[in-house]
Amino acid sequence: MLDQTNLLHSLVVNYTLNDNKVDSFVPFILETIANYQLLDTEKAGQEAGSAEQGSVHKWCTRINSLLQSKVSGAKWAGISFVKISIQQSETLFIQNLQSWSSALLTLLTRPESTLILSDVILTLSNIFGKTINKPELQREVTSQQLPRFNTTLLNLSENQELLSTIFDALSQSCIQFPTIFRPFVENTQKLCLGVLDGMFDYESSVVQSAANCLASITNTGGKTNSLVHWKSISLRLIGSLNFLLDRLFDTIDEEKHASNNLPQFEFPSVSDDYIIAFPILFSRFQCLCECIISLVSLPTSIPVHVPMNQFLDFLCRVYNVCDGSFASIVNKDKNEFYTLMLGVPSLYVHSNKVLSSLIICAGEYFTRHLRLISDIILKLLDQSKDKWLLRNSTYRLTSLCIQKYGIGFVHFVSSPLLASIIDDIRIKQKPQRDVLTDVISNTGKKGGKNKKRKITNSDELINSGIQEFNNVNVDVQISALEVLKTLLMVDGSSIPYNIRSTIDNIILSRILAPFSQLTNSSITTRNESDIQLKLYECLLALIVAPSAFQPTILPHALRIFSSGLKAQPRQLQLFSSQALAICDLMLHSRLPPLQRLPNDSISLSEKNIHESESKETGNNIESKENSNNIVPEKNDNKIEPKENDNIELKESVNNIEPKENIEPKGNTDEHLKNEGETPSIHTLKFSEIDMIPEHSDKKRVHSGDGSDFDAEDQARMFKSFRSDDYTNSDNEDEEMPEIVPDGPDSDYESLDE
């Protein structure tokens, strides 16, 4: 076994002594230390001798030298070594906490590069965070150096490249040490509001970090003041948003809301020119919505009161504005109204995010407002047919509501929601244009002077027939399939027959149809696997929640999931394996799931069945003329069956058309006992099913009450079953022979022993 003391000594001597080159060896040094755990002194325990202590001491001494070096690369190397040292060794952390934190704070006050400053901030945040449960270290180090650290962070806020890192460090300091952070609350709040004024993109990390930092400030008030502070910030955010909407909706004739009198934060004023003001106001709206989301999502130390009525008034005010809203009576520029309509979809999207956060936060509070939420969702679906971002956001909100409120919410949106989903996921068709007809028609026009249209597009000559396409955005399709899966799992059995049949056909056709045949499609190779996985999830939901008024698609699903075991995306293979396990539980409710391998055969021929039976039994099957049971015998006596008793085995025992319910009879074991055989749990008896001659003009099935059904009607009622062919049977009232299968239950199971 390698001596770790020699390894650490080798790293220190060979790779860290040269300040100009040490930065190039940092990845190798860190990887070696991580692999061998060279700094884990607790792991060595009492085995650590003087040699090991000497190597560790040299390592710590070298770190201190690198932190004080004049070379930027050496300083960065020292910071990296500090991080891995406090990560691996608690002893090194306690022994060097004072010296390392002081050295890092000194670097933070110097004009260093952004990379070094960012690493120093992250390392110091990690160091102070490790002292939470150590009162002695907090008293000696944290309480003295953390205020200096917070002050330095606020002074560095002018560097916009460091803003995201600064906000994260301030948030961590505020949450972990609220008492120490309390003097810095006001300055931190001003810094956050300066970023949330709309001058930054809401998707940037700076805005997200500022929103989280502003939300974390509410934890600094203590048990009594935190409640007041949280409610004050939430009401001010709502008041700021309403004040912002007053300027945006200046051209809209809307009712005045009481929430307009709420307090608000002070933001820089915008220009009176709507062309300049509206982009800033839209961006500010987005940033403040992100702040509300962070506020209601951040855990609090004590329960707080959420002003739900004010939040609902604000959301309804946004959702009530659309392109059909009444314009204000006051004479306004019509172009201002049209400019407002340009940003309304963005207002809807971020309002959906706020509503989603409130639903997660408030729990069952919105149960009383399900009709209101359903009306909002249906309105957005109707207005977002050509707005992909809004439609995707609406589908996500719908999926959350279905998961949260179940069938009570589905009752309000089921039919129109399914219509929207079907329209987004179905494959549309259009007839191919006849090129020759166009040429002839153009030739016969007056004034055409018999000039034929020049054909320059070769695709018009190659493509023929009906074109299939789906030009819906990929993200919208994925979101629609997710909503469909959720709805099927919640209330799939109650969907009307015609809609359910349409959904089954669309899902099966989308899975079986290759994506390469779709023209004018937004689907790419990268997104194909994502859509295919969602289609498989919807297929599983269809068979888990079957319809009571139409045949099951379980046989099709078994074949599709079996082929999915050989699909190229690994994620699709894993899901297919899980889906087959669920299908096995449906087929064999008393047996554990069957293990399926990718090399399992999907279809079995009659030859393979006979070969398997011959290997297992080694004997022939005895057929009796006047018996209703076919039982494998272990003797060598051969009985030739009559001509009318020939039974042709097909691919699966599922090929039998049942009359009503196919159930095993209770007298099977008694019959076997009379025959002198051991009862078998695999014995199945299908009774009251006629064996019809194969070439009969009319096949019929007895129902038990004397009435007959045509085989065509029976096939429509039970599409999932296929009928075996029984040849040369003259007795139509004869019961189906009882079958004791020696092999697998179906053609989807492996015959390998």
PDB file of all heavy atoms in Angstrom, residues 498-527:
ATOM      1  N   ASN A 498     -65.707   9.000 -27.539  1.00  0.00           N
ATOM      2  CA  ASN A 498     -65.161   9.490 -28.806  1.00  0.00           C
ATOM      3  C   ASN A 498     -63.837  10.216 -28.607  1.00  0.00           C
ATOM      4  O   ASN A 498     -62.900  10.066 -29.392  1.00  0.00           O
ATOM      5  CB  ASN A 498     -66.177  10.409 -29.490  1.00  0.00           C
ATOM      6  CG  ASN A 498     -66.621  11.548 -28.581  1.00  0.00           C
ATOM      7  OD1 ASN A 498     -66.428  11.501 -27.367  1.00  0.00           O
ATOM      8  ND2 ASN A 498     -67.220  12.578 -29.156  1.00  0.00           N
ATOM      9  N   ILE A 499     -63.721  10.985 -27.524  1.00  0.00           N
ATOM     10  CA  ILE A 499     -62.462  11.684 -27.257  1.00  0.00           C
ATOM     11  C   ILE A 499     -61.378  10.691 -26.862  1.00  0.00           C
ATOM     12  O   ILE A 499     -60.231  10.806 -27.302  1.00  0.00           O
ATOM     13  CB  ILE A 499     -62.664  12.740 -26.158  1.00  0.00           C
ATOM     14  CG1 ILE A 499     -63.714  13.766 -26.596  1.00  0.00           C
ATOM     15  CG2 ILE A 499     -61.359  13.431 -25.820  1.00  0.00           C
ATOM     16  CD1 ILE A 499     -63.998  14.824 -25.554  1.00  0.00           C
ATOM     17  N   ARG A 500     -61.749   9.706 -26.061  1.00  0.00           N
ATOM     18  CA  ARG A 500     -60.758   8.710 -25.638  1.00  0.00           C
ATOM     19  C   ARG A 500     -60.255   7.905 -26.831  1.00  0.00           C
ATOM     20  O   ARG A 500     -59.052   7.592 -26.935  1.00  0.00           O
ATOM     21  CB  ARG A 500     -61.384   7.789 -24.588  1.00  0.00           C
ATOM     22  CG  ARG A 500     -60.442   6.715 -24.054  1.00  0.00           C
ATOM     23  CD  ARG A 500     -59.240   7.317 -23.378  1.00  0.00           C
ATOM     24  NE  ARG A 500     -58.316   6.276 -22.967  1.00  0.00           N
ATOM     25  CZ  ARG A 500     -58.269   5.761 -21.743  1.00  0.00           C
ATOM     26  NH1 ARG A 500     -59.098   6.210 -20.815  1.00  0.00           N
ATOM     27  NH2 ARG A 500     -57.405   4.833 -21.440  1.00  0.00           N
ATOM     28  N   SER A 501     -61.134   7.553 -27.730  1.00  0.00           N
ATOM     29  CA  SER A 501     -60.713   6.828 -28.933  1.00  0.00           C
ATOM     30  C   SER A 501     -59.769   7.667 -29.785  1.00  0.00           C
ATOM     31  O   SER A 501     -58.778   7.165 -30.323  1.00  0.00           O
ATOM     32  CB  SER A 501     -61.947   6.423 -29.748  1.00  0.00           C
ATOM     33  OG  SER A 501     -61.568   5.758 -30.929  1.00  0.00           O
ATOM     34  N   THR A 502     -60.052   8.957 -29.897  1.00  0.00           N
ATOM     35  CA  THR A 502     -59.167   9.844 -30.655  1.00  0.00           C
ATOM     36  C   THR A 502     -57.785   9.928 -30.010  1.00  0.00           C
ATOM     37  O   THR A 502     -56.759   9.890 -30.697  1.00  0.00           O
ATOM     38  CB  THR A 502     -59.791  11.245 -30.743  1.00  0.00           C
ATOM     39  OG1 THR A 502     -61.083  11.158 -31.350  1.00  0.00           O
ATOM     40  CG2 THR A 502     -58.911  12.176 -31.560  1.00  0.00           C
ATOM     41  N   ILE A 503     -57.743  10.018 -28.689  1.00  0.00           N
ATOM     42  CA  ILE A 503     -56.459  10.089 -27.990  1.00  0.00           C
ATOM     43  C   ILE A 503     -55.666   8.806 -28.194  1.00  0.00           C
ATOM     44  O   ILE A 503     -54.456   8.836 -28.454  1.00  0.00           O
ATOM     45  CB  ILE A 503     -56.693  10.366 -26.496  1.00  0.00           C
ATOM     46  CG1 ILE A 503     -57.310  11.753 -26.304  1.00  0.00           C
ATOM     47  CG2 ILE A 503     -55.402  10.247 -25.709  1.00  0.00           C
ATOM     48  CD1 ILE A 503     -57.703  12.046 -24.869  1.00  0.00           C
ATOM     49  N   ASP A 504     -56.340   7.657 -28.089  1.00  0.00           N
ATOM     50  CA  ASP A 504     -55.644   6.386 -28.310  1.00  0.00           C
ATOM     51  C   ASP A 504     -55.032   6.323 -29.695  1.00  0.00           C
ATOM     52  O   ASP A 504     -53.867   5.912 -29.869  1.00  0.00           O
ATOM     53  CB  ASP A 504     -56.617   5.228 -28.117  1.00  0.00           C
ATOM     54  CG  ASP A 504     -57.067   5.091 -26.670  1.00  0.00           C
ATOM     55  OD1 ASP A 504     -56.499   5.793 -25.822  1.00  0.00           O
ATOM     56  OD2 ASP A 504     -57.982   4.296 -26.398  1.00  0.00           O
ATOM     57  N   ASN A 505     -55.808   6.736 -30.690  1.00  0.00           N
ATOM     58  CA  ASN A 505     -55.309   6.671 -32.064  1.00  0.00           C
ATOM     59  C   ASN A 505     -54.127   7.615 -32.278  1.00  0.00           C
ATOM     60  O   ASN A 505     -53.156   7.270 -32.961  1.00  0.00           O
ATOM     61  CB  ASN A 505     -56.437   7.012 -33.043  1.00  0.00           C
ATOM     62  CG  ASN A 505     -57.524   5.962 -33.059  1.00  0.00           C
ATOM     63  OD1 ASN A 505     -57.275   4.794 -32.762  1.00  0.00           O
ATOM     64  ND2 ASN A 505     -58.743   6.354 -33.385  1.00  0.00           N
ATOM     65  N   ILE A 506     -54.203   8.806 -31.688  1.00  0.00           N
ATOM     66  CA  ILE A 506     -53.116   9.775 -31.869  1.00  0.00           C
ATOM     67  C   ILE A 506     -51.832   9.267 -31.217  1.00  0.00           C
ATOM     68  O   ILE A 506     -50.744   9.316 -31.821  1.00  0.00           O
ATOM     69  CB  ILE A 506     -53.522  11.140 -31.296  1.00  0.00           C
ATOM     70  CG1 ILE A 506     -54.639  11.766 -32.139  1.00  0.00           C
ATOM     71  CG2 ILE A 506     -52.326  12.083 -31.248  1.00  0.00           C
ATOM     72  CD1 ILE A 506     -55.168  13.071 -31.576  1.00  0.00           C
ATOM     73  N   ILE A 507     -51.930   8.763 -29.993  1.00  0.00           N
ATOM     74  CA  ILE A 507     -50.732   8.296 -29.289  1.00  0.00           C
ATOM     75  C   ILE A 507     -50.102   7.123 -30.029  1.00  0.00           C
ATOM     76  O   ILE A 507     -48.881   7.085 -30.249  1.00  0.00           O
ATOM     77  CB  ILE A 507     -51.077   7.915 -27.843  1.00  0.00           C
ATOM     78  CG1 ILE A 507     -51.574   9.149 -27.070  1.00  0.00           C
ATOM     79  CG2 ILE A 507     -49.872   7.307 -27.148  1.00  0.00           C
ATOM     80  CD1 ILE A 507     -50.565  10.260 -26.976  1.00  0.00           C
ATOM     81  N   LEU A 508     -50.912   6.161 -30.439  1.00  0.00           N
ATOM     82  CA  LEU A 508     -50.361   4.996 -31.144  1.00  0.00           C
ATOM     83  C   LEU A 508     -49.766   5.388 -32.486  1.00  0.00           C
ATOM     84  O   LEU A 508     -48.687   4.910 -32.868  1.00  0.00           O
ATOM     85  CB  LEU A 508     -51.458   3.942 -31.328  1.00  0.00           C
ATOM     86  CG  LEU A 508     -51.931   3.235 -30.052  1.00  0.00           C
ATOM     87  CD1 LEU A 508     -53.089   2.305 -30.368  1.00  0.00           C
ATOM     88  CD2 LEU A 508     -50.797   2.460 -29.411  1.00  0.00           C
ATOM     89  N   SER A 509     -50.448   6.267 -33.216  1.00  0.00           N
ATOM     90  CA  SER A 509     -49.928   6.670 -34.530  1.00  0.00           C
ATOM     91  C   SER A 509     -48.652   7.487 -34.392  1.00  0.00           C
ATOM     92  O   SER A 509     -47.727   7.349 -35.200  1.00  0.00           O
ATOM     93  CB  SER A 509     -50.994   7.468 -35.285  1.00  0.00           C
ATOM     94  OG  SER A 509     -51.342   8.646 -34.575  1.00  0.00           O
ATOM     95  N   ARG A 510     -48.559   8.340 -33.358  1.00  0.00           N
ATOM     96  CA  ARG A 510     -47.337   9.115 -33.164  1.00  0.00           C
ATOM     97  C   ARG A 510     -46.157   8.218 -32.785  1.00  0.00           C
ATOM     98  O   ARG A 510     -45.013   8.475 -33.180  1.00  0.00           O
ATOM     99  CB  ARG A 510     -47.547  10.161 -32.065  1.00  0.00           C
ATOM    100  CG  ARG A 510     -48.407  11.346 -32.455  1.00  0.00           C
ATOM    101  CD  ARG A 510     -47.725  12.244 -33.469  1.00  0.00           C
ATOM    102  NE  ARG A 510     -46.466  12.775 -33.020  1.00  0.00           N
ATOM    103  CZ  ARG A 510     -46.311  13.936 -32.390  1.00  0.00           C
ATOM    104  NH1 ARG A 510     -47.368  14.677 -32.121  1.00  0.00           N
ATOM    105  NH2 ARG A 510     -45.117  14.360 -32.045  1.00  0.00           N
ATOM    106  N   ILE A 511     -46.421   7.178 -32.010  1.00  0.00           N
ATOM    107  CA  ILE A 511     -45.333   6.273 -31.626  1.00  0.00           C
ATOM    108  C   ILE A 511     -44.870   5.425 -32.805  1.00  0.00           C
ATOM    109  O   ILE A 511     -43.664   5.227 -33.020  1.00  0.00           O
ATOM    110  CB  ILE A 511     -45.781   5.373 -30.459  1.00  0.00           C
ATOM    111  CG1 ILE A 511     -45.993   6.219 -29.201  1.00  0.00           C
ATOM    112  CG2 ILE A 511     -44.769   4.270 -30.183  1.00  0.00           C
ATOM    113  CD1 ILE A 511     -46.522   5.438 -28.018  1.00  0.00           C
ATOM    114  N   LEU A 512     -45.820   4.938 -33.580  1.00  0.00           N
ATOM    115  CA  LEU A 512     -45.472   4.033 -34.674  1.00  0.00           C
ATOM    116  C   LEU A 512     -44.970   4.767 -35.899  1.00  0.00           C
ATOM    117  O   LEU A 512     -44.208   4.201 -36.691  1.00  0.00           O
ATOM    118  CB  LEU A 512     -46.691   3.178 -35.040  1.00  0.00           C
ATOM    119  CG  LEU A 512     -47.213   2.273 -33.923  1.00  0.00           C
ATOM    120  CD1 LEU A 512     -48.473   1.550 -34.369  1.00  0.00           C
ATOM    121  CD2 LEU A 512     -46.147   1.273 -33.494  1.00  0.00           C
ATOM    122  N   ALA A 513     -45.393   6.020 -36.103  1.00  0.00           N
ATOM    123  CA  ALA A 513     -44.967   6.771 -37.286  1.00  0.00           C
ATOM    124  C   ALA A 513     -43.587   7.353 -37.047  1.00  0.00           C
ATOM    125  O   ALA A 513     -43.369   8.036 -36.043  1.00  0.00           O
ATOM    126  CB  ALA A 513     -45.964   7.888 -37.602  1.00  0.00           C
ATOM    127  N   PRO A 514     -42.630   7.110 -37.933  1.00  0.00           N
ATOM    128  CA  PRO A 514     -41.296   7.709 -37.764  1.00  0.00           C
ATOM    129  C   PRO A 514     -41.350   9.215 -37.951  1.00  0.00           C
ATOM    130  O   PRO A 514     -42.109   9.740 -38.759  1.00  0.00           O
ATOM    131  CB  PRO A 514     -40.462   7.035 -38.854  1.00  0.00           C
ATOM    132  CG  PRO A 514     -41.453   6.602 -39.888  1.00  0.00           C
ATOM    133  CD  PRO A 514     -42.715   6.275 -39.144  1.00  0.00           C
ATOM    134  N   PHE A 515     -40.529   9.924 -37.192  1.00  0.00           N
ATOM    135  CA  PHE A 515     -40.511  11.376 -37.258  1.00  0.00           C
ATOM    136  C   PHE A 515     -39.959  11.870 -38.591  1.00  0.00           C
ATOM    137  O   PHE A 515     -40.207  12.997 -38.981  1.00  0.00           O
ATOM    138  CB  PHE A 515     -39.668  11.942 -36.116  1.00  0.00           C
ATOM    139  CG  PHE A 515     -40.321  11.821 -34.777  1.00  0.00           C
ATOM    140  CD1 PHE A 515     -40.088  10.718 -33.973  1.00  0.00           C
ATOM    141  CD2 PHE A 515     -41.174  12.797 -34.326  1.00  0.00           C
ATOM    142  CE1 PHE A 515     -40.684  10.612 -32.735  1.00  0.00           C
ATOM    143  CE2 PHE A 515     -41.778  12.704 -33.089  1.00  0.00           C
ATOM    144  CZ  PHE A 515     -41.531  11.601 -32.295  1.00  0.00           C
ATOM    145  N   SER A 516     -39.210  11.045 -39.278  1.00  0.00           N
ATOM    146  CA  SER A 516     -38.625  11.481 -40.543  1.00  0.00           C
ATOM    147  C   SER A 516     -39.670  11.704 -41.617  1.00  0.00           C
ATOM    148  O   SER A 516     -39.419  12.386 -42.604  1.00  0.00           O
ATOM    149  CB  SER A 516     -37.607  10.437 -41.030  1.00  0.00           C
ATOM    150  OG  SER A 516     -38.232   9.164 -41.163  1.00  0.00           O
ATOM    151  N   GLN A 517     -40.878  11.142 -41.431  1.00  0.00           N
ATOM    152  CA  GLN A 517     -41.925  11.316 -42.431  1.00  0.00           C
ATOM    153  C   GLN A 517     -42.693  12.620 -42.257  1.00  0.00           C
ATOM    154  O   GLN A 517     -43.505  12.976 -43.106  1.00  0.00           O
ATOM    155  CB  GLN A 517     -42.899  10.137 -42.361  1.00  0.00           C
ATOM    156  CG  GLN A 517     -42.264   8.807 -42.778  1.00  0.00           C
ATOM    157  CD  GLN A 517     -43.271   7.682 -42.758  1.00  0.00           C
ATOM    158  OE1 GLN A 517     -44.440   7.883 -42.455  1.00  0.00           O
ATOM    159  NE2 GLN A 517     -42.816   6.483 -43.095  1.00  0.00           N
ATOM    160  N   LEU A 518     -42.465  13.334 -41.158  1.00  0.00           N
ATOM    161  CA  LEU A 518     -43.174  14.582 -40.923  1.00  0.00           C
ATOM    162  C   LEU A 518     -42.485  15.709 -41.667  1.00  0.00           C
ATOM    163  O   LEU A 518     -41.285  15.912 -41.558  1.00  0.00           O
ATOM    164  CB  LEU A 518     -43.214  14.899 -39.436  1.00  0.00           C
ATOM    165  CG  LEU A 518     -43.907  13.861 -38.538  1.00  0.00           C
ATOM    166  CD1 LEU A 518     -43.878  14.325 -37.100  1.00  0.00           C
ATOM    167  CD2 LEU A 518     -45.321  13.601 -38.981  1.00  0.00           C
ATOM    168  N   THR A 519     -43.242  16.461 -42.426  1.00  0.00           N
ATOM    169  CA  THR A 519     -42.716  17.613 -43.145  1.00  0.00           C
ATOM    170  C   THR A 519     -43.146  18.886 -42.442  1.00  0.00           C
ATOM    171  O   THR A 519     -44.143  18.919 -41.718  1.00  0.00           O
ATOM    172  CB  THR A 519     -43.246  17.629 -44.592  1.00  0.00           C
ATOM    173  OG1 THR A 519     -44.670  17.706 -44.558  1.00  0.00           O
ATOM    174  CG2 THR A 519     -42.826  16.376 -45.332  1.00  0.00           C
ATOM    175  N   ASN A 520     -42.373  19.959 -42.643  1.00  0.00           N
ATOM    176  CA  ASN A 520     -42.640  21.251 -42.009  1.00  0.00           C
ATOM    177  C   ASN A 520     -42.756  21.098 -40.491  1.00  0.00           C
ATOM    178  O   ASN A 520     -43.602  21.688 -39.841  1.00  0.00           O
ATOM    179  CB  ASN A 520     -43.936  21.873 -42.554  1.00  0.00           C
ATOM    180  CG  ASN A 520     -43.850  22.137 -44.040  1.00  0.00           C
ATOM    181  OD1 ASN A 520     -42.770  22.405 -44.566  1.00  0.00           O
ATOM    182  ND2 ASN A 520     -44.977  22.046 -44.716  1.00  0.00           N
ATOM    183  N   SER A 521     -41.915  20.253 -39.921  1.00  0.00           N
ATOM    184  CA  SER A 521     -41.979  19.978 -38.496  1.00  0.00           C
ATOM    185  C   SER A 521     -40.842  20.660 -37.776  1.00  0.00           C
ATOM    186  O   SER A 521     -39.749  20.809 -38.304  1.00  0.00           O
ATOM    187  CB  SER A 521     -41.925  18.469 -38.240  1.00  0.00           C
ATOM    188  OG  SER A 521     -41.904  18.194 -36.866  1.00  0.00           O
ATOM    189  N   SER A 522     -41.121  21.086 -36.547  1.00  0.00           N
ATOM    190  CA  SER A 522     -40.088  21.699 -35.718  1.00  0.00           C
ATOM    191  C   SER A 522     -39.310  20.670 -34.923  1.00  0.00           C
ATOM    192  O   SER A 522     -38.475  21.019 -34.113  1.00  0.00           O
ATOM    193  CB  SER A 522     -40.740  22.707 -34.752  1.00  0.00           C
ATOM    194  OG  SER A 522     -41.681  22.060 -33.919  1.00  0.00           O
ATOM    195  N   ILE A 523     -39.592  19.384 -35.137  1.00  0.00           N
ATOM    196  CA  ILE A 523     -38.931  18.330 -34.389  1.00  0.00           C
ATOM    197  C   ILE A 523     -37.557  18.072 -34.985  1.00  0.00           C
ATOM    198  O   ILE A 523     -37.415  17.862 -36.191  1.00  0.00           O
ATOM    199  CB  ILE A 523     -39.771  17.045 -34.402  1.00  0.00           C
ATOM    200  CG1 ILE A 523     -41.140  17.303 -33.771  1.00  0.00           C
ATOM    201  CG2 ILE A 523     -39.058  15.924 -33.673  1.00  0.00           C
ATOM    202  CD1 ILE A 523     -42.064  16.125 -33.832  1.00  0.00           C
ATOM    203  N   THR A 524     -36.546  18.070 -34.159  1.00  0.00           N
ATOM    204  CA  THR A 524     -35.190  17.765 -34.578  1.00  0.00           C
ATOM    205  C   THR A 524     -34.763  16.443 -33.956  1.00  0.00           C
ATOM    206  O   THR A 524     -35.475  15.853 -33.146  1.00  0.00           O
ATOM    207  CB  THR A 524     -34.238  18.893 -34.155  1.00  0.00           C
ATOM    208  OG1 THR A 524     -34.268  19.017 -32.735  1.00  0.00           O
ATOM    209  CG2 THR A 524     -34.654  20.218 -34.784  1.00  0.00           C
ATOM    210  N   THR A 525     -33.599  15.999 -34.353  1.00  0.00           N
ATOM    211  CA  THR A 525     -33.099  14.732 -33.826  1.00  0.00           C
ATOM    212  C   THR A 525     -32.895  14.791 -32.326  1.00  0.00           C
ATOM    213  O   THR A 525     -33.144  13.815 -31.609  1.00  0.00           O
ATOM    214  CB  THR A 525     -31.782  14.375 -34.529  1.00  0.00           C
ATOM    215  OG1 THR A 525     -31.985  14.371 -35.943  1.00  0.00           O
ATOM    216  CG2 THR A 525     -31.286  13.011 -34.089  1.00  0.00           C
ATOM    217  N   ARG A 526     -32.464  15.944 -31.823  1.00  0.00           N
ATOM    218  CA  ARG A 526     -32.232  16.078 -30.392  1.00  0.00           C
ATOM    219  C   ARG A 526     -33.526  16.019 -29.597  1.00  0.00           C
ATOM    220  O   ARG A 526     -33.568  15.489 -28.483  1.00  0.00           O
ATOM    221  CB  ARG A 526     -31.520  17.405 -30.123  1.00  0.00           C
ATOM    222  CG  ARG A 526     -31.103  17.603 -28.683  1.00  0.00           C
ATOM    223  CD  ARG A 526     -30.469  18.946 -28.484  1.00  0.00           C
ATOM    224  NE  ARG A 526     -31.422  20.020 -28.721  1.00  0.00           N
ATOM    225  CZ  ARG A 526     -31.142  21.308 -28.601  1.00  0.00           C
ATOM    226  NH1 ARG A 526     -29.923  21.684 -28.281  1.00  0.00           N
ATOM    227  NH2 ARG A 526     -32.064  22.224 -28.835  1.00  0.00           N
ATOM    228  N   ASN A 527     -34.609  16.561 -30.144  1.00  0.00           N
ATOM    229  CA  ASN A 527     -35.880  16.603 -29.428  1.00  0.00           C
ATOM    230  C   ASN A 527     -36.745  15.376 -29.675  1.00  0.00           C
ATOM    231  O   ASN A 527     -37.769  15.210 -29.006  1.00  0.00           O
ATOM    232  CB  ASN A 527     -36.673  17.850 -29.839  1.00  0.00           C
ATOM    233  CG  ASN A 527     -35.941  19.124 -29.489  1.00  0.00           C
ATOM    234  OD1 ASN A 527     -35.298  19.213 -28.456  1.00  0.00           O
ATOM    235  ND2 ASN A 527     -36.018  20.108 -30.365  1.00  0.00           N
TER     236      ASN A 527
END
